[in-house]
Every structure is written in C-alpha cells, then in structure tokens.
Amino acid sequence: MTLDDKIARVKDLIGKREEIDAELAVLLSGAAREPRKMRCSICDTEGHTARTCTQKTGAA
C-alpha cells in the first residue's frame, strides 16, 4: 500500500467517523433526562424542601 493509498484510506475513515458521530448526536440529543426540581410539600414552591421551608408551622 503506497503512501497516497494510506492517506486516501485515512480520509475515507475520518469521513465515515464524522457521519457516525453526527448520527449519534442526533439519536442521543434527547436521551438525557433533566434533574427533578425540588418542590416543597408544605408550601408547594420550587427551590426548597419541607425541611428548609420558612412557612412551616411549629407542628413537625
């Protein structure tokens, strides 16, 4: 295999790899789940939990 043949083969493989990477990016773009947001069970507000709620009453 000559040097020109090797270079042509490398270019071909790189092109195939880029096609595969692009297809994988499309397939996996929606696969990641968003983390659940904290929601307080006392005041039903996002951003904190019942443990740290400022609106909780004395009855715990």
Side-chain angles (χ1 to χ4, degrees):
M1 185 178 256
T2 66
L3 182 58
D4 290 333
D5 293 337
K6 289 180 181 180
I7 292 172
R9 181 68 178 142
V10 167
K11 287 181 180 180
D12 182 46
L13 291 172
I14 290 172
K16 288 180 182 179
R17 182 181 68 192
E18 289 173 351
E19 289 176 20
I20 290 170
D21 287 345
E23 186 175 349
L24 286 172
V26 169
L27 290 172
L28 299 176
S29 64
R33 289 181 45 189
E34 292 184 26
R36 293 184 67 180
K37 295 184 179 173
M38 292 186 297
R39 181 173 291 274
C40 178
S41 61
I42 295 173
C43 66
D44 200 35
T45 303
E46 286 186 358
H48 66 274
T49 61
R51 178 179 284 168
T52 59
C53 185
T54 58
Q55 298 180 18
K56 65 182 172 183
T57 60

